[in-house]
Structures are given as C-alpha cells and as structure tokens.
Amino acid sequence: MSISYRLKYIAGLVTAGSRIADIGTDHGYVPVFLLREGIASHAIAVDISEGSLQKARELAERAGLQDRMECRLADGLSGVLPGEADCIIISGMGGILMRKILDAGLETVLSSREVILSPHRNPELILEFLEIHGFTLVRDEIITDKKRSYRVFKGCRLPED
Ligand SMILES: C[S@@+](CC[C@H](N)C(=O)[O-])C[C@H]1O[C@@H](n2cnc3c(N)ncnc32)[C@H](O)[C@@H]1O
C-alpha cells in the first residue's frame, strides 16, 4: 500500500498508542497505516458510503488487520460512541461538512483527547470550532502535496481536574 505524503503527514500527528477514529475514511489508508506502523492500538474507520467502506474493509483484510480495525457505515460521528476514540481524524472534505460532523458529534469529540482535522475549504469554521470548545491548537500547518496545498490542524484537550 502506498500512501500519499498528505495522508502520511496527517497520520504522523497521531499520538502513539491512541485508539483512533477516521471519519470519511474512503480507502481506509490512514487507519491501516496507523495500525501497521504500530502507532494506533485500535481503529474505527467510518464512511457514509458502503462502496468506500468495502475498500477499507478489503485493505484491512489484506493487511491482516481486520481484528483491530472496525469498519462502520455511518453519517459522521454518529458511528462512534463517546469514549471510543482518543483521537479523531477527519480529512479530505470541505470545512462546512466537517463542521457539521463535528457539531453533530460533539459529545464524542469532547470525549477524545485530540482531533486532527484537514479541511479542503473554509478552515476558519474549523478554527472557530476548536476555539469554542476549548481545544489547544498545537499544530496549524500548510503542507504541499503534488503541487496542492492543504491546511492541517491538530487540537488537544487538557484532561479536566
Ligand atoms: C475525498 S474522500 C477523503 C478520504 C480521506 N479521508 C482523505 O483525506 O483522503 C471523502 C470521504 O468522506 C466520505 N463522507 C462524506 N460525507 C460523510 C459523512 N457525513 N460521514 C462519513 N463519511 C462521509 C465520502 O464517502 C468519502 O469516502
């Protein structure tokens, strides 16, 4: 499996040992990479499209990772219960859709320790979300892959006392 520089960069921001959820996983490249590299301990790959999810399932099976990667057909974070993921990854969609997914899945987002978000458009909506909900912006990068630029954010929540 070869994975793009953009997706490898996103995966590289995940804290080692995390249980991750990748929303809008498509081929499942990010969760498979994270499990294969020993960065994630468990992965939930979510997509609203059965066709995409089937690609992710097949990739996990080919890598022998089907026991540690759950593929869930769902709309956004409705596929992930609060407390199931330490790290939530959403990339490769516009900021309007991403913000809708984050707002609708707020309880699950707030139960995670970190979020890695890479909107293709309207990044201001994602920055606003992180600020409103008390995330510390630990990374705000612009990366270039195949002559296209991508904004990548990592937000962390401090554990409450
Ligand atoms: C362009 S792909 C991005 C794939 C990968 N995350 C990346 O960054 O390359 C967008 C994926 O998001 C999925 N998607 C769109 N809306 C969604 C939603 N509401 N919930 C879950 N997945 C969604 C699509 O089916 C598609 O597989």
Side-chain angles (χ1 to χ4, degrees):
M1 176 188 89
S2 80
I3 164 170
S4 69
Y5 172 76
R6 173 181 65 90
L7 291 180
K8 208 180 272 187
Y9 189 91
I10 287 168
L13 296 179
V14 173
T15 299
S18 298
R19 295 166 304 148
I20 69 109
D22 183 34
I23 312 301
T25 196
D26 201 6
H27 294 79
Y29 290 140
V30 168
V32 166
F33 178 83
L34 286 167
L35 288 169
R36 216 184 48 186
E37 296 296 310
I39 299 168
S41 58
H42 181 266
I44 302 170
V46 175
D47 209 286
I48 201 167
S49 146
E50 176 53 40
S52 292
L53 209 61
Q54 186 55 26
K55 290 185 277 183
R57 223 176 263 126
E58 285 168 11
L59 190 66
E61 279 167 17
R62 282 203 299 277
L65 292 168
Q66 61 276 18
D67 293 343
R68 287 194 294 141
M69 179 164 143
E70 293 177 55
C71 294
R72 299 184 184 173
L73 184 66
D75 184 350
L77 283 159
S78 68
V80 184
L81 293 172
E84 282 193 304
D86 307 308
C87 172
I88 293 169
I89 303 162
I90 316 180
S91 68
M93 58 179 81
I96 296 175
L97 175 58
M98 195 177 286
R99 177 69 181 268
K100 270 192 199 152
I101 289 174
L102 292 166
D103 285 336
L106 191 57
E107 209 186 329
T108 296
V109 177
L110 296 184
S111 73
S112 71
R113 284 200 313 254
E114 64 189 32
V115 289
I116 297 165
L117 304 170
S118 180
H120 279 173
R121 286 173 297 281
N122 297 106
E124 72 283 357
L125 297 177
I126 304 310
L127 279 172
E128 186 188 59
F129 176 90
L130 294 173
E131 194 184 333
I132 291 173
H133 295 292
F135 281 86
T136 303
L137 188 64
V138 295
R139 299 293 280 268
D140 177 356
E141 313 277 357
I142 297 173
I143 61 158
T144 305
D145 189 10
K146 297 189 188 91
K147 297 186 179 164
R148 280 194 64 185
S149 295
Y150 301 92
R151 193 87 176 258
V152 184
F153 301 121
K154 176 174 178 176
C156 289
R157 281 173 63 77
L158 295 176
E160 285 172 23
D161 294 332

